[in-house]
Each structure stands twice: as C-alpha cells, then as structure tokens.
Amino acid sequence: MKDSYVLTSADQETVPSVPWLSFLLLTILFFLLGGHDFKFSLVEHFDQSAEVFETQTTEGNPLRRLAAPLLGLFAIVLLYRQGLSNLTISGVRGWILLFYLVFVMFTFFWSIEPALTGRRLLIFIIYWLLALAFANRYWITAVPYFAFISSTIFVFTGVLAELANGTFNPVDSDYRFMGTVHPNIQAISCSIMFISAAVIYHGRSKDKLFFLSFALIALGFLILTKSRTSFVTSLAVVSMLAFMSSQLTLKKIFIISAMICVAGLLGFFAMNVGGEQFSLLSSAVNLGRNEGDINSLNGRLRIWSLSFDYIKERLFIGYGYDSFWTIQHIYTISLRMGFGIISAHNAYIESILGIGLIGTTAYVTFAAISLKKAFIFFKRSGNIGYAFHVLLLVYFFIQGLTESNFTMLSYGVFFLLVGFANIAFIPADKEESPDIRWLGK
C-alpha cells in the first residue's frame, strides 16, 4: 500500500519529495519513443510524403523498438515492488474501462493487418501497464509534477537543438518552433508545460513566482509553434481553473466555457472573412501563419468524408486497433487527397476506424465519467492531481475535433491514462485525501 501520512500544517508547505531518477528515466524513454530528432529543424519540408509514411509503417522505428520494452520493464518493476493489494475495480466506471481494454485486445482477431495490430497492441499493453503501475505507486498529485518536469525538458531540449542547428529564428515571419518534432507535436509539449505549471501554481503557497514564470515561458513557446488549436485550447482550459475553484457546478462551467468557445469561433470566422479592416487582427489570431492555412479545414473535411466511406464497411468493430492506416490505405487516400496522409485528423473518427463504434463509445463514455469524477474529487479534496486531469482531459477532448492525439497513444496521452487508472482502479478513499504533495520514494 502507499505510505500513510499524518497531516500537519508544515506538510502543506513542504517541497515534494520528487523521485527524480524515475521521472528522468521515464522522460528519456518517452523522448525516444516519440521519435524525436535533434536535426529535425533542418528539414525544409516537415510534411512527409506518402512514400515516407509507407516506409515507417513497414519498417517501424528502431528507437521505439528500444524504448518500448524498457518502459514495459519499468512498469513491471514498479508493479512488483508496490504489489497489487491496493488495486480494485471501482464500480461501473471500472468495469467500463475494463470492457474497453478487453475489446481493444480482441480487435486482433478481426484485424485486416494482424501483424500491424499485434505491434500496436504491444505498445498499448505497455502504456496501460505503465499507467497502472504509476497510479499504483504514486499519489495522483505526482502527475502534474512529472508532466511539468518532463515537458519542460522536452521544450528546452527543442530550443537547444534549434540553437545548435542555427534554426532558432523567432523574428522570421515563417518561423515555427519545432525543436525535435513537428510543430504541432511540440505544441502539445508546450501545452502540457503551460497547463501543469498553471495547476501547480494554483495549488501552492510557496514558489508561486517560479511556476508562474515557467507557465508564461511555455505560453511564449506555444505561440511560436503557431499551432492555433493547441494555443486556443490551452488558454481555455487554464482559464477553467478560476471556475473550478468557485462554487459553480461542472455543468455551469461547461456552459460558460461553451459560450466562450462559440464566441471565439464566431470572432475567428469574422476576422477571416471580414476584409482588410480585420487583416492585422486576423494575423494576430492566426499566430502569424499564412492566411491560406485557414483553408486547411477544407482538407480535413475531405479526409473525414473519405474516412466515412471506410467506416461504413466496419462501423461497429473497426479495422483493428490503430491499424487502419495500412500501406494500401495510405497510398489510396493520399492519392485521392493529393498529398501524403496517415491520420484522419479527428480523434473520434480515428478511433472508430480502429476499434469501431463499440470500442469508441466505451472509451468516450469512460472519459466523460472520469472527467466528472475527477472534478468531484478535486472539489472534495483540493488535490491538484485531479485538477490537472480535468484540464488535460478537456484539452484533448477539444483538440480531438481536429487532431487524432486524444485516442492514440503518445507522451501527452500517458498522463490521461494515469488519471484513468486512478479513477477506475484506485479506491477513492485513498485518493481523496488533501493534497499533501507526497510523490513516493
């Protein structure tokens, strides 16, 4: 079981006992698993062709092959050291998540590409084992701290890489901060750094200036990525912190947030069709990116339309977990789109393609329940781990409308999985304790 702790006033002010070695090792392994490249910013065109995607699908990534088993080993060691005695299935929500996990595993038997599905499922098992081990070993308070530490390392590693390559040029109108990965992926790291720093700042009475400074730094780099979806969504979810600390219910917070989003979308549309008088303001809203980039929504609509043609053939069970994008599908859809593509650019469509309507419904249903439970636990205990889970889940919920990250395994989604494991498999009475900022040994 997790160590018990007798609360005193001094406990509330202590600096957390951070398991630095564990966090550093996990950060390195996630860096390798994410396919980061120190020379990435030297690539003139980072939008890859269909041929490159085909090669990646066939051959895989050697760094992923190295990092994945090490993450699995790390998870097994954590589970072995901590034991499984304090794990349980927490009511209906636990059974829904368990059903989702089992259903995903069974997609192997009707996959159109069993070998590919098998490799994807191996990663799936490793991620969920690690999430369960992390939740079992550390209090949920550890999650925002680990997210802050690892994302800060990712972002500043990207800065150093660009400085070394001579590509760090934020005054250039065409510049997008990418560091070691595609700007849209780097934007997620910046968003996680921003959200986690804001949450920790909100929950601490000491070192507030430190975390506020890093939150602002993260926001600055997020702007430099020129990823509009991540930028707007990050601002929206961080602003939710003020509402979460008030007496407003979750329903009212969602209504207010929805009204803000609708107003923002209407203003965004007006500034992009409103003529020259809005040109300066429009440029600011678009983070300095080419006005023509706004038309990329049309490209997404075409992708979604093509995806629905395939969804109708296997609506309920899908094509196999994360296995729709076979060489044949990549080639066919890329040919029809006129450029290389390996993603539906919508998390919900992506999920239905892989695990069908049954698996997607189970996943989204559990995520919604998890959001509500985390909000309730935060209101009861003030534990910033639950606040971080709520904000990050809303972030990926919204981002999932135009990107595929929410339902695909990645560094950022790992933090969601840890929260899910806490909600589904950790007894609530052990996690609703006040935020004592204890992170384990």
Side-chain angles (χ1 to χ4, degrees):
M1 294 181 65
K2 298 175 183 178
D3 294 4
S4 60
Y5 213 98
V6 179
L7 291 176
T8 66
S9 59
D11 290 329
Q12 300 291 336
E13 301 297 331
T14 56
V15 176
S17 175
V18 179
W20 290 105
L21 290 179
S22 296
F23 282 6
L24 182 59
L25 176 59
L26 285 175
T27 299
I28 293 172
L29 292 178
F30 276 119
F31 188 88
L32 295 177
L33 197 62
H36 291 255
D37 182 357
F38 291 105
K39 299 294 183 180
F40 190 87
S41 61
L42 294 174
V43 179
E44 293 185 6
H45 303 287
F46 45 73
D47 291 321
Q48 296 172 316
S49 66
E51 287 76 13
V52 174
F53 290 141
E54 289 178 17
T55 301
Q56 292 176 344
T57 302
T58 304
E59 300 178 358
N61 187 312
L63 290 178
R64 287 172 61 89
R65 291 198 296 268
L66 171 66
L70 290 177
L71 277 175
L73 179 62
F74 188 94
I76 292 172
V77 170
L78 274 187
L79 286 173
Y80 175 77
R81 290 183 60 186
Q82 192 66 22
L84 304 177
S85 59
N86 58 324
L87 295 178
T88 187
I89 298 178
S90 300
V92 175
R93 62 182 183 271
W95 287 108
I96 293 175
L97 182 58
L98 192 60
F99 170 81
Y100 162 76
L101 296 175
V102 173
F103 183 85
V104 168
M105 299 297 294
F106 267 84
T107 63
F108 173 82
F109 296 104
W110 57 76
S111 170
I112 59 171
E113 193 75 34
L116 177 61
T117 304
R119 295 197 300 270
R120 298 287 195 264
L121 286 175
L122 182 60
I123 300 296
F124 179 85
I125 293 171
I126 289 172
Y127 263 87
W128 275 101
L129 272 180
L130 182 61
L132 183 63
F134 197 99
N136 188 41
R137 174 63 177 166
Y138 308 113
W139 293 90
I140 196 171
T141 313
V143 181
Y145 283 101
F146 174 49
F148 173 74
I149 292 169
S150 57
S151 60
T152 300
I153 292 174
F154 279 18
V155 171
F156 279 94
T157 299
V159 174
L160 293 176
E162 289 200 359
L163 288 172
N165 294 330
T167 55
F168 186 73
N169 188 17
V171 297
D172 187 344
S173 60
D174 294 327
Y175 171 79
R176 295 186 68 186
F177 173 53
M178 59 187 78
T180 54
V181 287
H182 189 284
N184 290 343
I185 303 300
Q186 188 66 261
I188 296 177
S189 295
C190 293
S191 295
I192 292 174
M193 179 181 170
F194 176 52
I195 296 170
S196 60
V199 167
I200 297 172
Y201 165 82
H202 176 80
R204 293 181 67 88
S205 58
K206 286 187 175 182
D207 308 316
K208 294 181 77 72
L209 181 60
F210 174 83
F211 289 103
L212 177 60
S213 299
F214 273 85
L216 294 176
I217 291 172
L219 184 60
F221 283 116
L222 179 56
I223 293 173
L224 290 178
T225 65
K226 298 183 179 178
S227 176
R228 294 176 293 254
T229 302
S230 289
F231 173 71
V232 174
T233 306
S234 296
L235 286 179
V237 299
V238 168
S239 68
M240 286 179 60
L241 268 176
F243 298 125
M244 289 175 63
S245 300
S246 68
Q247 297 302 313
L248 293 176
T249 63
L250 183 61
K251 181 179 179 180
K252 291 181 179 179
I253 292 176
F254 279 150
I255 292 174
I256 294 173
S257 300
M259 292 173 63
I260 294 174
C261 288
V262 169
L265 288 173
L266 290 175
F268 184 80
F269 176 77
M271 282 181 285
N272 283 282
V273 300
E276 295 182 359
Q277 65 270 30
F278 290 107
S279 60
L280 182 60
L281 188 56
S282 176
S283 177
V285 170
N286 295 326
L287 303 182
R289 286 175 64 178
N290 192 314
E291 296 285 335
D293 287 347
I294 299 301
N295 295 325
S296 62
L297 178 60
N298 294 331
R300 282 182 167 83
L301 290 174
R302 290 174 56 204
I303 296 171
W304 299 342
S305 177
L306 291 174
S307 298
F308 277 115
D309 292 338
Y310 288 94
I311 285 175
K312 289 184 294 186
E313 298 179 11
R314 290 195 172 200
L315 175 61
F316 293 103
I317 60 174
Y319 290 81
Y321 174 71
D322 197 14
S323 302
F324 171 76
W325 295 99
T326 61
I327 293 176
Q328 179 182 353
H329 286 158
I330 291 173
Y331 180 80
T332 302
I333 296 179
S334 297
L335 187 64
R336 296 181 65 178
M337 290 295 300
F339 52 85
I341 181 171
I342 195 174
S343 167
H345 287 281
N346 181 289
Y348 309 100
I349 293 175
E350 193 79 64
S351 180
I352 295 174
L353 285 169
I355 59 177
L357 191 60
I358 295 175
T360 302
T361 300
Y363 182 79
V364 174
T365 299
F366 174 80
I369 294 174
S370 173
L371 177 65
K372 182 179 180 180
K373 286 295 181 181
F375 178 79
I376 293 173
F377 292 166
F378 170 71
K379 298 292 284 187
R380 290 177 181 173
S381 67
N383 191 315
I384 62 172
Y386 288 116
F388 180 69
H389 184 68
V390 169
L391 298 188
L392 195 63
L393 188 48
V394 173
Y395 170 85
F396 278 111
F397 261 136
I398 298 174
Q399 198 208 41
L401 297 173
T402 58
E403 299 294 343
S404 298
N405 299 296
F406 175 43
T407 53
M408 299 177 68
L409 297 178
S410 65
Y411 157 76
V413 171
F414 168 74
F415 301 116
L416 282 186
L417 302 191
V418 177
F420 288 160
N422 269 275
I423 297 294
F425 303 125
I426 302 295
D429 61 341
K430 298 190 184 328
E431 287 296 348
E432 290 184 57
S433 58
D435 178 10
I436 59 177
R437 300 174 181 82
W438 182 85
L439 302 187
K441 297 180 180 180

